[in-house]
Amino acid sequence: MKSIAVFNNKGGVGKTTLTYHLGCALAELGHKTLLVDLDPQSNLTLFGLDPEKLHDIWQVEDAFIDDFVDARDQQSADFEEIASDVRSIHFLLKPTEDGADPPESLAKPLELLDNLGMIPGRLSIHTYEDKIASRWSDVYGGDLLAIRTVTDIRNFCEKYAKEYAYDYVVIDTSPSFGILNKVIISTVDGFLIPCMPDMFTLYGIQNIGKSLKGWKRDFDTIFNLLSDAKLRYFPKNFVSFLGFTIFNASRYRRSSERNLSKAHHNYAKQIRATIEEHIDVDHRKQLTAAQLEDPIGGTAIMHSYSRLVLAMSRKYRTPIWKVAGCENLEKEDRNTILHNRQLYENTQTEFHIFAKDLLTRLGQLEVDNG
């Protein structure tokens, strides 16, 4: 199993849409994939569940999120049945947050498509982040509960990979440098940055590079202090940078490099230099010069998908390329969608190209780590 985080500290760059469609593409390419929604906004989850069904899941969990041990005792007769059904990521992490024993059963993932599952998000995940912060200093002393708190996300990825034979776990994150993202990104195998070709991207990469340096120092200290028995909770290697995308940028129809407007192209061509200056080579040493220069997938997913196309994908909870084939298209949508059927369906090839390039980069990571 390889775990991947999709991260940018700026919102509005298409991070969640990209995460969902990456998962769909990997699944269609024959790779069993699990999506994990760790953005408190839970927008990724809404690709798989309508709000009413999500509310039903959260409602069952409410008492456990308030006090896991008390709720387990109060609902002891039904507890294992509740725990083994589809549950949010916060429910999974809550025993560690409360210092309790986890359920015997692993909650089943929400099945989205063939080869594609999801662990839904939950707005309350901020309380787990608070617990990470309060226990962080205890990790240096080898406290097992603190270590579990920091590594539980990674370890759940491994448990699901083992029980359900997932090849890849893709994690959607919030646009934040908080301690929750610190432990997510530091304990996955690789991360990628979805970008817009603008000033915010360049500053975002600078900020990500600075944060990585600090996070790496903290984890190096932990690794030097802990025994081998306690280090087994952590991954062997610190996270690696897999590259960037330019996702859903405006197309410039006159002849121009990458079909970007002059302003967008001027920012896009600065991305490589910004990466080289601010993201340490140790985090990207497996990438070739060409891979530093080019977005993952090249220009495959670079250009705009209209708001209508993206809205239809969300509305029908299916990847863009499957929208036109939905049997439940509403009358007011049908003519517009079917008139543009080819536009919708062509996106499948584009996202497959993107996913294959990402897998190539992950393969290089395996070679580099020996």
Side-chain angles (χ1 to χ4, degrees):
M1 185 275 298
K2 290 296 179 186
S3 53
I4 305 160
V6 183
F7 176 66
N8 192 317
N9 71 308
K10 182 185 182 299
V13 296
K15 173 179 59 65
T16 297
T17 300
L18 180 67
T19 302
Y20 173 72
H21 285 86
L22 169 60
C24 294
L26 288 171
E28 289 185 349
L29 291 168
H31 307 290
K32 198 165 184 183
T33 303
L34 179 68
L35 299 176
V36 181
D37 192 350
L38 272 158
D39 184 345
Q41 297 180 70
S42 303
N43 286 327
L44 179 63
T45 300
L46 295 177
F47 269 106
L49 284 168
D50 65 51
E52 290 76 15
K53 290 182 180 178
L54 180 58
H55 181 241
D56 291 341
I57 291 173
W58 286 359
Q59 217 169 17
V60 171
E61 299 176 354
D62 282 345
F64 294 92
I65 299 302
D66 287 339
D67 187 325
F68 190 88
V69 174
D70 181 67
R72 182 182 62 193
D73 292 344
Q74 293 292 329
Q75 302 184 54
S76 58
D78 301 321
F79 175 68
E80 286 301 327
E81 182 180 352
I82 291 170
S84 62
D85 202 353
V86 174
R87 300 268 64 95
S88 75
I89 185 63
H90 194 189
F91 181 94
L92 300 182
L93 298 170
K94 189 64 181 178
T96 297
E97 181 181 324
D98 287 359
D101 293 329
E104 293 181 8
S105 303
L106 193 62
K108 68 182 181 183
L110 175 69
E111 294 298 329
L112 300 182
L113 302 167
D114 289 344
N115 284 335
L116 184 64
M118 178 190 285
I119 305 301
R122 188 173 172 118
L123 294 172
S124 58
I125 194 67
H126 68 276
T127 66
Y128 191 79
E129 182 165 26
D130 293 342
K131 196 61 69 173
I132 297 172
S134 68
R135 292 176 180 165
W136 178 259
S137 61
D138 292 333
V139 176
Y140 296 94
D143 180 83
L144 279 176
L145 180 57
I147 291 170
R148 274 180 57 198
T149 306
V150 168
T151 60
D152 237 17
I153 294 169
R154 167 76 186 200
N155 291 327
F156 265 116
C157 293
E158 292 179 341
K159 288 176 185 177
Y160 275 96
K162 183 176 181 180
E163 183 151 335
Y164 290 93
Y166 287 114
D167 302 306
Y168 300 102
V169 177
V170 185
I171 300 175
D172 192 24
T173 61
S174 68
S176 161
F177 286 116
I179 198 165
L180 178 61
N181 278 346
K182 174 179 181 176
V183 301
I184 294 169
I185 295 166
S186 298
T187 58
V188 294
D189 296 301
F191 78 98
L192 61 101
I193 306 173
C195 299
M196 291 293 289
D198 57 21
M199 174 191 69
F200 295 101
T201 282
L202 303 182
Y203 279 93
I205 292 170
Q206 291 181 37
N207 293 336
I208 290 168
K210 290 176 184 176
S211 294
L212 278 176
K213 290 177 184 178
W215 298 346
K216 179 69 160 55
R217 283 194 300 268
D218 288 347
F219 277 86
D220 281 347
T221 302
I222 290 167
F223 295 159
N224 287 327
L225 290 173
L226 298 187
S227 65
D228 288 344
K230 291 177 179 177
L231 285 175
R232 66 186 175 86
Y233 290 92
F234 294 86
K236 290 183 179 179
N237 300 294
F238 193 73
V239 67
S240 292
F241 175 58
L242 300 174
F244 69 97
T245 68
I246 296 177
F247 178 57
N248 205 24
S250 298
R251 185 185 297 272
Y252 188 67
R253 297 195 179 277
R254 296 181 187 177
S255 178
S256 65
E257 190 168 350
R258 292 178 175 169
N259 286 330
L260 290 171
S261 67
K262 184 176 181 180
H264 277 186
H265 175 64
N266 286 341
Y267 282 114
K269 71 182 182 181
Q270 297 178 62
I271 291 176
R272 174 180 175 173
T274 306
I275 290 169
E276 290 180 327
E277 180 177 357
H278 294 283
I279 297 182
D280 285 352
V281 66
D282 282 349
H283 304 313
R284 52 178 174 82
K285 58 187 176 182
Q286 83 285 353
L287 296 177
T288 67
Q291 288 170 332
L292 281 176
E293 180 75 32
D294 293 331
I296 301 171
T299 60
I301 61 170
M302 180 180 290
H303 296 296
S304 291
Y305 304 110
S306 73
R307 289 184 179 181
L308 177 63
V309 167
L310 296 175
M312 292 300 101
S313 176
R314 284 183 173 274
K315 180 174 180 178
Y316 292 102
R317 294 183 175 84
T318 195
I320 296 169
W321 54 87
K322 289 190 173 184
V323 170
C326 286
E327 295 180 356
N328 61 332
L329 291 179
E330 295 178 5
K331 185 177 180 180
E332 62 266 27
D333 299 330
R334 180 177 296 276
N335 288 341
T336 301
I337 290 172
L338 296 183
H339 180 74
N340 293 285
R341 187 182 197 115
Q342 199 64 51
L343 182 151
Y344 281 85
E345 293 180 347
N346 286 346
T347 62
Q348 182 182 45
T349 299
E350 295 166 350
F351 275 98
H352 282 201
I353 291 170
F354 168 72
K356 289 176 182 178
D357 190 4
L358 182 65
L359 294 187
T360 296
R361 294 169 185 236
L362 277 169
Q364 292 167 198
L365 183 60
E366 291 178 6
V367 171
D368 187 68
N369 288 333

